[in-house]
Amino acid sequence: MDEETTSVSKGVFIFNNNTIKRSSHGKKRKKQTTETTKDDNGIFASNLWYQQYANLKTILEENITELNDNMFSSVLSQLVEFVGNCHNTTVEEIPTAALLTGINMPDHGAQFSSLINQIKQTETPHVVCLQSQDCTHIKNMMENMISKFINYDSPLEDEDEDDHRNIKKNQLNLPVLQCWYNNLYVEKSSSSPIKQQTKNSQKVLVVIIPDFESFSTIVLQKFILIISSYIEVLPFVFIFGVATSLNTLHTSLSYQIMSKINIRVFKSQPSIVYLDKVLENAFFDTNFPFHLGGKVFNLFVDLFLFYDLSVNNFITNIKYAMAEHFCSGNTMSLCTLSISEAREMIEMFSHNDFENARHLLSFRKLVEDQTYENRIKLLTDDDYLKEVLMQHLKKIQKYLRRFHLFLKLLHVLVNDLPKAPLGKKIRELYAIAVSKDITKSDEYRQCFQLLGFLSKTELLPKISTIINILSPRVKRFENNKIADFLNKLKQDLKDLNDFNMNELQDAVEEIECEELVDETMDSRKQFKEKLLGLTKQKATRQLNKYEQLRKDVLDLLTNAFEEYLVEPKSFYFHEIFFFDDVSIQNNIVGSHRSAIHNALNDPQYYLQCSCCEIYTSSTILRTMPDICVAYKLHLECGKMINLYDWLQAFLSIIDHSDCDDESRRYVKPELQARFTQAVAELEYLGFIKNSKRKADHVARLTWGG
Amino acid sequence: MAQRASEVAKTPHAVRKKTKSKIEHILQEDSTSEYEVSSEESSSSDTNSSSSIESEEESQSKQNQKIKISNTNLQTPRTRGRGKYIIKTEEYFQNCASSKIHTSNNTLDKLQTPKLPQHEVQQLLQNSKLSKEHKKSIEQLTKINESYFKKWLFLLNENFNILLYGLGSKRNIIKKFHMEYLKNMPVIVVNGFFPALTIKNILDSIIIDLLKINESPSNPLDACNLIIDEFLSMPETHLYLLIHNIEGDLLRNNKSQNALAMLASIRNIHLLASIDHINAPLIWDHSRLSKFNYIWFDVTSFSPYVEETSFEKSMMIAQTGALALSSLRNVFLSLTSNSKSIYIIIIKHQLEQGKNQFYQGISFKDLYMACRESFIVSSDLALRAQLTEFVDHKMVKIKRSVDGTEYLIIPLANNLLQKLLYENS
């Protein structure tokens, strides 16, 4: 094996194994359309957990694609409208839309592709999206654009008509494009009266540049100049995607160029809005059984907010968490919200699968809570465990459905409170609710205190929204409890509505006015005391009728929340639905530098050997691997390191025997080789590099330890 | 000393004051640099809390699960907890504060054997053994690392790509993964550390050797697009791309990384790569990272970078030019006897002039005369034909001087030429 991939003359090795057989072009089209996701992974497809995983993954993906189409609608419709209208009057400058997209580059793909789709559907089939990597020179850019314009059209026409495609790339230029365009619109509309609909509307040519910043400015400037000279014959429209700010447009294009284009600015939504929508619609869906635990969820949100702002990456992270979750065994295949499905799954369980379930952490708790006989049964009897599992699964499934529902209700109540102690977004609520008992938290108490001060006009809409959310669900829940709750709530709402606030307020005002006006004040101090006395009086005073009603409603709600928004950890087998292994952080954002640092500074961290234990990080032991010794010695140096001295220091640690100066001249070849290798490896890792400033010196490339 | 003292006495007050302050400054600097060292020692916090392999049991018990992929929590004893790497910013200023570099003037020439040649180093290293305990713990590490294999396969198939990091050569583990799980799959292994590798090599080998398309587009982007089209058209075929050191010298440019990112984002091309350089992650920006879609794995192995450092680049290694010599030897052996003799004439001339610092090479006329004298060539043209062959193989460089005469020079060190001459005489 070693010989196969080691060579001094080449760096690429092929192991074909005769498995790649190119399909002929005829087959090509058919195969592309076939669904690939299902049969793709024959390796794991036999596992129960994999089936469930694949199942959920497709659900998630479908949800998200569905969302994507509706997501950017507001900005996109404006843009599409702009594209449609900009050439209605004769223009002298190229109409240009600058779309401020935000820095979340990986998401832009979805945004632009839905833009292209919409433009193609409604305005014009001629849309070209140019990538910066294809446009390093003005020549490439032109060729690319024109070939995309011309070639897009040809498949629509007869397949024999291949002459468009036969034009060589270097023959593509704007006169060709003009001919093609005239062919398509000007001549046809004059010759064939049948195509009435195209007669008036010569379709515009849209050029999209999704990443304006990564284009070379010189190329862009030339491009705009050239196109502007054709604007009278070819109706071009530009759409620039600008990731940073509009300033880049002004700084990268000179006045001469700017005068050729007519810019209108569009702002797309910040990606956080996008994230919230995705989460609410695809992930906090009551039908989606997989849940992230609080720690992991917070990790992902932090990664989003402080690292890349990319929703795409957020979704990939969720997918990865799902993969991690499901590959821990067949027990995870029970992660479903339908009882019958779970039953089906569990019937297929083998003994090992039950063993797998027994390794869940919450199983231990379950066992400890049982009587002695039951314990043995749980540990040995698979059938018994099956029933217990089903029982608890049912519980969790019920809990999850209510959990999401009541989380939404709580969100309605607390999202617009002053300072929003529980957060404004449902995701913030979720993060709290899955990591602890939300109803026992300080923030929750604070919220309900604040709710206790709400006026009727503020409280009423909240209650009615809650009822609106709740009522369609009641039919689905067989349980009477929720229905009862709803009815009570409706009753309360009615009471509140019926209650006439004016009466109450008049009464209050009267009292206050009387008291305040009646006595003539001697001093400010007296007045203050009077007011203080009044407030005390109020506190002790009986609640008035409105306050009583408000208290009733809030009590009703808080009781419900306390019942349904409990911590998921309180359930046995919650691990099946909740993934909370925060150690995946290292797999998502690698800690490359820290791993190397730890390995070099404290090899025992990885090796777990008894010989290399150190108490301070600067200790050097001769038992450590050579590279660690060399590394630690190099930390003691400044910017430059003398190789000779370094070698001597290395020897004095590795080999205590000879320390007089003369013997140092002769170095045991073996030790020298070890040092040589260690230095070469450090250089390879990028800690040092060759320096020409002084003989036999190397330069340090890092600082600190 | 007395003389100097009198000199000092003569110098004006201002100068004296200046020198004094200078000396003080130097002294201060010295003391601070000493202080740095001591502070480094003292500031190093006690990171060494009692650590135990607590989840060892857990992992052991998990091993006997029958599921095809077991998500063993083996990484817990290592990657979590203590010893987090925290950048101490003040150390940067300490490091940059003193512009003067205080190092001794010792050179390696003081040693009996200043530098060892590469092959000797490797031979010597083969003899050296690890301590028993380390051997055991490295074996243990390897075992842990190998327990990820099934997970990798799963993740690769789920359209994630895998990036391995951590100290130690990752060639063996990738190789083992290849042998155990990808034996019957189309696989391309790339040695990113290979000093003459280009992205074109990789793309060409996919297109020509794997897809059996006869001509490969010259532009890497076009080539990428071709590959992507091909693979999209056959979703049932999976290609595994194993890249040792994806941040290798010749792969770290934008073009290569873009091309690799494009390939890696394809559904049925799977990438498993490793990185070693401490700054390697800097080569990827957000859009590239999202295309690569990496899942990172710490596979610290402490195994020596033998292959990776074998290309004679290190400064501690004597530049023997063994590579160059062996390639020259091969070409030389395939020459006809006449051309050999011509080449030897050039070598001899170059060696005779070895001491001359400004040696330009042998002029064409001189060479022609010498060749004629030894009845090797009969005409100017025949000699030129021979020389073209030399130039094609880069055995000889032709330079034209200011006055128009052509000079021929062999672009190799003289000791190598001596060796070659010795072998062939």
Side-chain angles (χ1 to χ4, degrees):
Chain A
M1 176 61 208
D2 205 55
E3 307 81 59
E4 284 176 58
T5 57
T6 311
S7 159
V8 288
S9 59
K10 72 181 200 170
V12 185
F13 306 88
I14 310 280
F15 299 85
N16 190 351
N17 299 323
N18 294 325
T19 35
I20 288 204
K21 292 181 192 83
R22 269 203 320 139
S23 50
S24 60
H25 281 258
K27 273 185 184 173
K28 215 172 178 176
R29 295 261 174 267
K30 270 185 207 164
K31 288 232 165 139
Q32 254 169 343
T33 53
T34 53
E35 187 60 45
T36 57
T37 44
K38 288 259 164 84
D39 314 319
D40 226 355
N41 302 293
I43 320 163
F44 300 98
S46 58
N47 291 317
L48 288 176
W49 60 262
Y50 184 80
Q51 293 160 8
Q52 188 61 18
Y53 163 73
N55 204 349
L56 287 184
K57 206 178 98 178
T58 33
I59 292 176
L60 185 68
E61 274 167 0
E62 275 165 16
N63 280 344
I64 285 165
T65 38
E66 200 177 298
L67 259 178
N68 270 347
D69 292 341
N70 312 325
M71 189 62 68
F72 315 103
S73 51
S74 63
V75 196
L76 292 197
S77 58
Q78 284 172 24
L79 256 175
V80 172
E81 199 183 329
F82 168 78
V83 170
N85 294 336
C86 57
H87 272 281
N88 284 353
T89 53
T90 48
V91 287
E92 280 157 12
E93 299 131 354
I94 309 167
T96 304
L99 179 62
L100 298 179
T101 47
I103 57 158
N104 48 333
M105 299 294 286
D107 297 348
H108 296 170
Q111 199 173 350
F112 279 105
S113 66
S114 70
L115 172 68
I116 291 170
N117 280 338
Q118 281 199 23
I119 294 178
K120 273 184 183 165
Q121 276 167 18
T122 54
E123 296 298 332
T124 164
H126 314 303
V127 186
V128 159
C129 188
L130 294 176
Q131 300 294 336
S132 60
Q133 60 208 21
D134 304 329
C135 305
T136 44
H137 299 288
I138 181 69
K139 188 165 158 278
N140 306 357
M141 193 167 179
M142 280 294 173
E143 286 168 2
N144 241 308
M145 179 190 75
I146 295 164
S147 79
K148 277 180 182 169
F149 272 132
I150 294 179
N151 288 342
Y152 171 72
D153 222 46
S154 48
L156 290 182
E157 290 163 19
D158 283 3
E159 281 191 20
D160 304 320
E161 203 181 340
D162 262 357
D163 52 2
H164 286 314
R165 265 177 277 183
N166 288 343
I167 299 174
K168 273 187 189 163
K169 248 198 164 174
N170 53 15
Q171 290 169 338
L172 290 170
N173 47 27
L174 280 170
V176 172
L177 187 69
Q178 197 184 340
C179 276
W180 164 82
Y181 189 80
N182 288 343
N183 250 337
L184 218 58
Y185 293 108
V186 183
E187 283 172 26
K188 263 189 190 168
S189 56
S190 58
S191 62
S192 58
I194 312 149
K195 290 206 170 179
Q196 280 281 331
Q197 69 270 30
T198 53
K199 191 181 173 186
N200 283 329
S201 56
Q202 292 191 358
K203 305 269 174 141
V204 291
L205 302 169
V206 183
V207 178
I208 297 179
I209 291 178
D211 46 347
F212 181 83
E213 281 90 345
S214 43
F215 273 78
S216 127
T217 48
I218 301 164
V219 172
L220 266 180
Q221 298 200 358
K222 279 183 189 161
F223 180 73
I224 292 171
L225 272 184
I226 295 170
I227 296 293
S228 73
S229 61
Y230 277 84
I231 191 67
E232 281 158 25
V233 276
L234 294 170
F236 272 104
V237 178
F238 289 162
I239 297 176
F240 293 156
V242 182
T244 50
S245 77
L246 203 58
N247 259 341
T248 42
L249 215 66
H250 295 293
T251 47
S252 54
L253 302 179
S254 66
Y255 172 73
Q256 187 199 0
I257 310 294
M258 288 298 267
S259 63
K260 304 288 188 214
I261 55 179
N262 181 6
I263 302 178
R264 211 174 122 186
V265 181
F266 296 86
K267 269 187 192 145
S268 63
Q269 284 170 321
S271 58
I272 187 91
V273 180
Y274 181 22
L275 176 74
D276 287 338
K277 274 191 187 162
V278 168
L279 282 178
E280 270 164 51
N281 293 310
F283 198 65
F284 296 153
D285 190 5
T286 39
N287 297 322
F288 197 69
F290 174 73
H291 290 75
L292 292 175
K295 281 182 229 153
V296 175
F297 186 76
N298 278 331
L299 168 73
F300 287 176
V301 171
D302 285 352
L303 278 180
F304 175 84
L305 290 177
F306 305 116
Y307 188 62
D308 55 5
L309 290 171
S310 158
V311 180
N312 252 1
N313 287 354
F314 192 91
I315 293 167
T316 348
N317 288 346
I318 291 181
K319 280 187 195 160
Y320 173 61
M322 270 172 70
E324 275 288 321
H325 179 74
F326 281 96
C327 74
S328 53
N330 273 346
T331 329
M332 297 306 166
S333 63
L334 298 175
C335 180
T336 165
L337 284 178
S338 107
I339 294 282
S340 54
E341 215 173 287
R343 174 64 73 181
E344 245 169 64
M345 286 285 182
I346 211 165
E347 289 303 332
M348 287 190 273
F349 268 25
S350 66
H351 173 69
N352 282 316
D353 298 334
F354 285 113
E355 275 306 305
N356 185 217
R358 288 190 178 108
H359 284 292
L360 295 178
L361 270 180
S362 59
F363 178 75
R364 188 189 283 176
K365 247 201 291 176
L366 175 70
V367 172
E368 280 165 5
D369 293 347
Q370 298 289 322
T371 60
Y372 179 72
E373 285 154 39
N374 276 346
R375 280 185 196 183
I376 293 184
K377 251 181 158 180
L378 273 176
L379 287 171
T380 52
D381 189 351
D382 284 348
D383 287 333
Y384 180 70
L385 178 64
K386 189 200 286 178
E387 288 318 309
V388 174
L389 249 174
M390 281 311 289
Q391 226 177 323
H392 286 285
L393 280 183
K394 261 184 210 164
K395 259 192 202 167
I396 300 181
Q397 286 168 349
K398 202 168 144 195
Y399 157 74
L400 281 176
R401 275 188 229 112
R402 297 197 183 355
F403 175 79
H404 281 291
L405 182 62
F406 279 88
L407 204 62
K408 259 179 207 154
L409 302 188
L410 183 61
H411 177 242
V412 171
L413 274 183
V414 302
N415 70 343
D416 54 355
L417 290 178
K419 282 190 189 164
L422 278 171
K424 285 178 180 162
K425 303 284 186 213
I426 201 157
R427 66 177 153 81
E428 291 166 279
L429 281 178
Y430 175 84
I432 300 173
V434 292
S435 37
K436 58 184 176 196
D437 259 338
I438 194 168
T439 49
K440 293 199 177 71
S441 66
D442 283 341
E443 293 88 355
Y444 179 83
R445 221 169 294 133
Q446 235 173 311
C447 275
F448 267 81
Q449 252 170 20
L450 288 170
L451 285 172
F453 297 126
L454 285 187
S455 69
K456 187 183 162 191
T457 44
E458 284 169 318
L459 193 61
L460 275 183
K462 280 179 195 270
I463 305 287
S464 47
T465 356
I466 288 180
I467 290 175
N468 285 342
I469 295 175
L470 217 50
S471 28
R473 304 293 183 100
V474 166
K475 281 165 215 150
R476 277 193 13 216
F477 291 110
E478 304 287 309
N479 199 319
N480 290 329
K481 256 186 176 171
I482 303 265
D484 271 356
F485 173 69
L486 180 65
N487 287 336
K488 272 186 199 161
L489 213 57
K490 274 181 179 161
Q491 185 57 42
D492 282 342
L493 180 72
K494 204 172 150 251
D495 289 348
L496 274 173
N497 258 331
D498 293 345
F499 182 71
N500 191 353
M501 277 310 252
N502 292 335
E503 263 174 50
L504 193 67
Q505 265 170 3
D506 286 349
V508 171
E509 266 170 41
E510 255 173 50
I511 298 164
E512 280 178 7
C513 288
E514 266 174 33
E515 282 176 2
L516 284 179
V517 175
D518 245 18
E519 289 168 39
T520 45
M521 294 295 147
D522 295 338
S523 69
R524 192 172 283 273
K525 202 183 167 193
Q526 252 181 358
F527 181 64
K528 211 173 161 187
E529 272 169 13
K530 185 90 210 160
L531 282 176
L532 258 174
L534 270 177
T535 49
K536 266 180 198 161
Q537 217 180 323
K538 247 188 206 168
T540 52
R541 198 176 52 193
Q542 279 280 310
L543 295 170
N544 66 34
K545 208 180 166 200
Y546 167 67
E547 282 166 341
Q548 191 59 48
L549 277 173
R550 184 172 61 192
K551 192 168 168 279
D552 288 348
V553 175
L554 291 180
D555 281 348
L556 181 67
L557 284 167
T558 197
N559 283 339
F561 288 138
E562 267 163 29
E563 188 177 349
Y564 299 120
L565 290 182
V566 292
E567 193 182 13
K569 283 195 190 83
S570 58
F571 290 90
Y572 303 120
F573 301 113
H574 63 87
E575 289 97 338
I576 295 177
F577 294 88
F578 285 85
F579 177 77
D580 207 9
D581 180 9
V582 85
S583 71
I584 60 165
Q585 180 177 11
N586 282 327
N587 297 121
I588 291 170
V589 191
S591 47
H592 171 56
R593 184 77 190 272
S594 127
I596 289 186
H597 175 87
N598 282 337
L600 287 173
N601 253 328
D602 183 8
Q604 198 220 4
Y605 179 58
Y606 282 98
L607 291 175
Q608 304 283 358
C609 56
S610 59
C611 54
C612 298
E613 198 168 345
I614 53 168
Y615 295 100
T616 57
S617 66
S618 53
T619 318
I620 310 176
L621 299 173
R622 59 185 295 262
T623 50
M624 287 179 176
D626 295 340
I627 187 170
C628 299
V629 176
Y631 173 78
K632 282 167 159 277
L633 286 170
H634 117 286
L635 289 182
E636 293 169 5
C637 300
K639 278 185 216 160
M640 300 283 274
I641 305 167
N642 185 320
L643 277 175
Y644 178 84
D645 295 344
W646 195 7
L647 171 64
Q648 294 305 340
F650 181 80
L651 292 178
S652 67
I653 283 169
I654 297 290
D655 192 9
H656 293 296
S657 59
D658 49 2
C659 32
D660 65 290
D661 215 41
E662 275 311 299
S663 61
R664 287 283 171 81
R665 298 271 157 106
Y666 170 73
V667 182
K668 282 185 196 158
E670 192 213 323
L671 294 181
Q672 191 174 347
R674 279 166 64 180
F675 178 70
T676 306
Q677 183 64 21
V679 170
E681 288 180 358
L682 282 179
E683 188 187 5
Y684 182 69
L685 289 175
F687 283 104
I688 50 170
K689 70 168 190 194
N690 209 344
S691 167
K692 293 215 165 72
R693 284 173 66 187
K694 212 168 167 186
D696 287 333
H697 272 63
V698 289
R700 254 188 89 177
L701 298 175
T702 55
W703 41 270
Chain B
M1 197 60 204
Q3 197 190 352
R4 185 171 294 172
S6 65
E7 259 178 44
V8 171
K10 274 176 210 163
T11 45
H13 180 69
V15 178
R16 261 188 294 161
K17 207 173 167 188
K18 222 178 183 176
T19 5
K20 198 176 157 195
S21 70
K22 233 182 213 168
I23 290 166
E24 264 170 14
H25 186 71
I26 290 169
L27 281 174
Q28 222 168 24
E29 233 174 47
D30 274 356
S31 69
T32 49
S33 72
E34 264 175 31
Y35 172 67
E36 270 170 41
V37 174
S38 61
S39 78
E40 207 169 292
E41 272 167 8
S42 61
S43 72
S44 52
S45 56
D46 185 13
T47 50
N48 226 28
S49 57
S50 64
S51 74
S52 58
I53 322 170
E54 353 107 53
S55 65
E56 197 64 45
E57 288 180 352
E58 213 178 295
S59 58
Q60 286 287 313
S61 56
K62 280 211 169 184
Q63 218 94 68
N64 51 21
Q65 296 166 12
K66 207 204 131 190
I67 41 166
K68 253 186 156 178
I69 283 196
S70 53
N71 174 20
T72 45
N73 289 330
L74 281 166
Q75 68 210 68
T76 35
R78 330 194 277 115
T79 45
R80 301 264 74 218
R82 68 199 192 114
K84 269 259 165 183
Y85 175 54
I86 297 157
I87 294 172
K88 298 184 194 107
T89 35
E90 67 268 26
E91 282 179 348
Y92 171 78
F93 296 103
Q94 281 173 10
N95 195 38
C96 291
S98 58
S99 52
K100 272 260 170 74
I101 301 153
H102 307 284
T103 51
S104 71
N105 290 330
N106 293 331
T107 59
L108 289 175
D109 291 335
K110 279 191 174 179
L111 301 173
Q112 265 186 2
T113 47
K115 285 175 179 178
L116 296 170
Q118 179 71 38
H119 61 94
E120 226 175 296
V121 170
Q122 277 176 5
Q123 231 165 36
L124 286 166
L125 284 177
Q126 270 173 5
N127 299 330
S128 66
K129 291 260 158 49
L130 288 165
S131 72
K132 228 180 202 172
E133 193 165 355
H134 279 184
K135 209 172 170 189
K136 216 173 107 194
S137 35
I138 285 175
E139 267 168 22
Q140 184 68 26
L141 266 181
T142 325
K143 221 173 169 184
I144 293 174
N145 291 338
E146 282 167 8
S147 68
Y148 294 132
F149 279 178
K150 278 177 184 160
K151 200 166 174 184
W152 291 352
L153 194 64
F154 169 58
L155 289 172
L156 285 174
N157 275 298
E158 284 311 309
N159 212 16
F160 293 104
N161 294 308
I162 300 219
L163 188 69
L164 307 180
Y165 65 94
L167 183 70
S169 172
K170 287 161 274 285
R171 275 176 59 80
N172 284 327
I173 189 163
I174 293 180
K175 227 182 270 170
K176 197 153 185 203
F177 179 63
H178 179 189
M179 283 298 100
E180 282 184 15
Y181 288 93
L182 307 176
K183 214 159 184 181
N184 301 318
M185 299 284 189
V187 175
I188 290 188
V189 180
V190 179
N191 290 344
F193 51 84
F194 182 68
L197 180 79
T198 58
I199 185 68
K200 200 74 184 65
N201 291 148
I202 302 174
L203 297 176
D204 281 354
S205 55
I206 296 177
I207 292 174
I208 295 168
D209 299 335
L210 218 57
L211 296 171
K212 308 270 189 273
I213 300 171
N214 287 333
E215 48 187 288
S216 157
S218 57
N219 183 358
L221 266 172
D222 293 343
C224 270
N225 286 329
L226 177 69
I227 294 171
I228 290 168
D229 285 346
E230 284 297 330
F231 274 92
L232 284 180
S233 71
M234 38 182 190
E236 70 285 353
T237 336
H238 293 260
L239 170 65
Y240 291 85
L241 207 56
L242 309 181
I243 304 184
H244 303 286
N245 292 99
I246 194 168
E247 92 290 18
D249 267 337
L250 284 146
L251 287 183
R252 56 177 78 146
N253 50 35
N254 281 338
K255 219 185 218 171
S256 312
Q257 290 298 329
N258 277 339
L260 288 175
M262 275 172 84
L263 292 185
S265 60
I266 303 300
R267 225 195 143 72
N268 47 350
I269 297 183
H270 311 294
L271 173 74
L272 182 112
S274 67
I275 51 171
D276 282 306
H277 197 281
I278 46 170
N279 295 328
L282 297 180
I283 54 177
W284 300 304
D285 56 16
H286 277 326
S287 41
R288 245 178 248 158
L289 267 181
S290 80
K291 270 189 198 160
F292 272 121
N293 200 6
Y294 283 132
I295 300 297
W296 302 61
F297 280 92
D298 181 356
V299 291
T300 302
S301 66
F302 282 97
S303 40
Y305 294 98
V306 179
E307 281 304 321
E308 289 92 329
T309 54
S310 67
F311 292 99
E312 286 194 1
K313 284 187 298 185
S314 174
M315 50 254 157
M316 274 298 289
I317 284 171
Q319 310 274 323
T320 55
L323 286 177
L325 185 65
S326 74
S327 49
L328 179 62
R329 198 182 288 134
N330 284 338
V331 181
F332 189 82
L333 287 178
S334 64
L335 295 176
T336 59
S337 61
N338 267 3
S339 0
K340 275 183 193 164
S341 322
I342 299 173
Y343 201 69
I344 284 175
I345 291 175
I346 306 176
I347 292 177
K348 277 184 176 158
H349 189 268
Q350 190 157 338
L351 288 178
E352 277 164 20
Q353 301 284 324
K355 292 272 158 53
N356 185 357
Q357 254 196 323
F358 305 104
Y359 177 68
Q360 276 188 305
I362 183 170
S363 72
F364 182 76
K365 217 174 92 190
D366 291 350
L367 181 65
Y368 179 55
M369 292 314 289
C371 290
R372 262 179 72 118
E373 274 165 25
S374 40
F375 304 109
I376 302 170
V377 289
S378 53
S379 74
D380 180 300
L381 232 71
L383 178 60
R384 261 189 203 283
Q386 295 288 357
L387 287 182
T388 336
E389 194 176 351
F390 293 162
V391 172
D392 285 347
H393 284 106
K394 295 192 177 137
M395 298 164 75
V396 154
K397 267 186 184 164
I398 298 185
K399 277 185 197 161
R400 205 176 281 273
S401 72
V402 198
D403 55 352
T405 43
E406 284 171 298
Y407 287 102
L408 306 163
I409 193 163
I410 302 172
L412 278 177
N414 282 355
N415 56 345
L416 294 185
L417 295 182
Q418 190 75 57
K419 227 173 181 176
L420 186 76
L421 196 64
Y422 180 75
E423 283 168 13
N424 289 287
S425 59

